[in-house]
């Protein structure tokens, strides 16, 4: 795959997006963005956003969240998948954010992945949301990158490596957002139909 073709494909994808909000977007504070990204794993963004609105209405700062009872968090985030595990991670993460980072997450990959519940994808999506050059590889990115022949790999870390080699650094920030929005805008068979009509796959 040549870089020029991949860039053309990325621009074509942008023309087929609908105006949807991503879980990472639209929050007042970086800590809220991070928590929302954590909760969005294996859960649709539209569900995550509603849950997070309730969570952040009750706990307005990471300090307040760090003092919450685990049962209260569980009750609020119950609609997301793996809510019990995520509740523990959210509480522990909030405690560290408040005690170590004065309330907001570090904008540093190595420090982010030390936080409970923050893996490579979550860290990269957060960094991208903060305006840093990063590529978060989730299910949408993985599937579409393979369909578009941007990668032959199936492991997220390998896909991330391939995409970083294929695209110039100033485009990394666009990849997750574009592919996730496209994936959410067009699901299942409809997605393949749109890709074919746009001459992006055969």
């Amino acid at each position: 795959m040549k870089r020029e073709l991949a860039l053309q494909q990325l621009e074509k994808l942008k023309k087929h997006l609908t105006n949807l909000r991503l879980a990472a977007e639209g929050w007042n504070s970086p800590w809220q963005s991070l928590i929302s990204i954590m909760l969005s794993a294996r859960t649709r963004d539209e569900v995550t956003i509603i849950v997070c609105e309730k969570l952040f209405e009750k706990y307005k700062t990471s300090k307040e969240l760090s003092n919450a009872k685990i049962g209260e968090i569980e009750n609020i985030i119950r609609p997301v998948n793996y809510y019990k595990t995520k509740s523990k991670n959210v509480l522990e993460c909030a405690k560290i954010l408040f005690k170590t980072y004065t309330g907001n997450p570090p904008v540093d990959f190595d420090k982010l992945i030390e936080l409970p519940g923050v893996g490579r994808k979550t860290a990269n999506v957060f960094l991208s949301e903060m305006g840093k050059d990063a590529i978060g590889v989730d299910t949408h990115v993985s599937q579409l990158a393979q369909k578009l022949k941007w990668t032959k790999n199936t492991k997220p870390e390998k896909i991330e490596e391939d995409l970083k080699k294929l695209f110039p650094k100033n485009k990394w920030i666009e990849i997750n957002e574009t592919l996730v929005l496209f994936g959410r805008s067009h699901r299942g068979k409809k997605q393949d139909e749109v890709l074919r009509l746009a001459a992006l796959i055969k």
Side-chain angles (χ1 to χ4, degrees):
M1 172 65 69
K2 292 184 178 180
R3 174 171 287 187
E4 184 180 349
L5 177 57
L7 287 168
Q8 289 173 359
Q9 290 177 321
L10 185 65
E11 291 306 310
K12 277 189 176 182
L13 285 175
K14 291 178 187 176
K15 296 177 181 178
H16 295 275
L17 306 181
T18 52
N19 188 25
L20 297 170
R21 178 184 169 188
L22 298 178
E25 298 175 340
W27 305 110
N28 295 325
S29 303
W31 71 269
Q32 294 176 328
S33 292
L34 181 65
I35 297 297
S36 183
I37 297 164
M38 289 168 61
L39 294 182
S40 71
R42 304 290 181 181
T43 301
R44 290 190 174 188
D45 281 16
E46 50 265 44
V47 175
T48 304
I49 290 167
I50 292 171
V51 165
C52 285
E53 285 173 346
K54 293 177 181 177
L55 184 70
F56 302 149
E57 176 63 28
K58 185 172 179 66
Y59 305 105
K60 296 185 176 5
T61 65
S62 57
K63 179 182 179 180
E64 289 182 13
L65 185 58
S66 72
N67 291 321
K69 293 181 179 178
I70 190 72
E72 294 174 341
I73 297 175
E74 286 181 357
N75 285 337
I76 294 171
I77 74 164
R78 192 177 295 270
V80 306
N81 291 318
Y82 311 109
Y83 74 94
K84 284 186 175 291
T85 300
K86 289 179 180 179
S87 294
K88 292 176 185 176
N89 287 334
V90 163
L91 182 57
E92 290 305 310
C93 185
K95 287 179 179 178
I96 294 171
L97 292 181
F98 171 63
K99 290 179 181 178
T100 307
Y101 298 109
T102 64
N104 274 316
V107 187
D108 178 283
F109 179 84
D110 292 328
K111 291 179 180 178
L112 282 166
I113 60 173
E114 291 176 352
L115 296 170
V118 178
R120 188 173 194 91
K121 185 269 290 186
T122 296
N124 278 327
V125 173
F126 174 76
L127 288 172
S128 181
E129 185 64 23
M130 294 298 107
K132 302 299 180 182
D133 298 317
I135 302 174
V137 178
D138 62 2
T139 303
H140 291 297
V141 174
S142 177
Q143 292 177 347
L144 283 164
Q146 290 173 64
K147 285 181 181 181
L148 295 165
K149 303 190 186 306
W150 292 351
T151 182
K152 293 180 180 178
N153 286 299
T154 56
K155 293 183 178 179
E157 283 190 37
K158 292 291 185 182
I159 293 172
E160 183 185 335
E161 288 176 15
D162 288 343
L163 295 178
K164 284 182 174 179
K165 291 175 185 174
L166 182 59
F167 288 91
K169 199 170 185 178
N170 65 348
K171 290 292 181 180
W172 292 359
I173 199 170
E174 299 177 23
I175 293 172
N176 179 273
E177 180 178 5
T178 301
L179 270 60
V180 171
L181 281 173
F182 183 87
R184 286 185 59 202
S185 300
H186 312 288
R187 301 182 189 275
K189 290 182 179 179
K190 185 180 179 183
Q191 182 182 106
D192 287 345
E193 289 172 7
V194 175
L195 290 173
R196 288 192 187 96
L197 286 171
L200 291 170
I201 63 171
K202 294 182 180 179

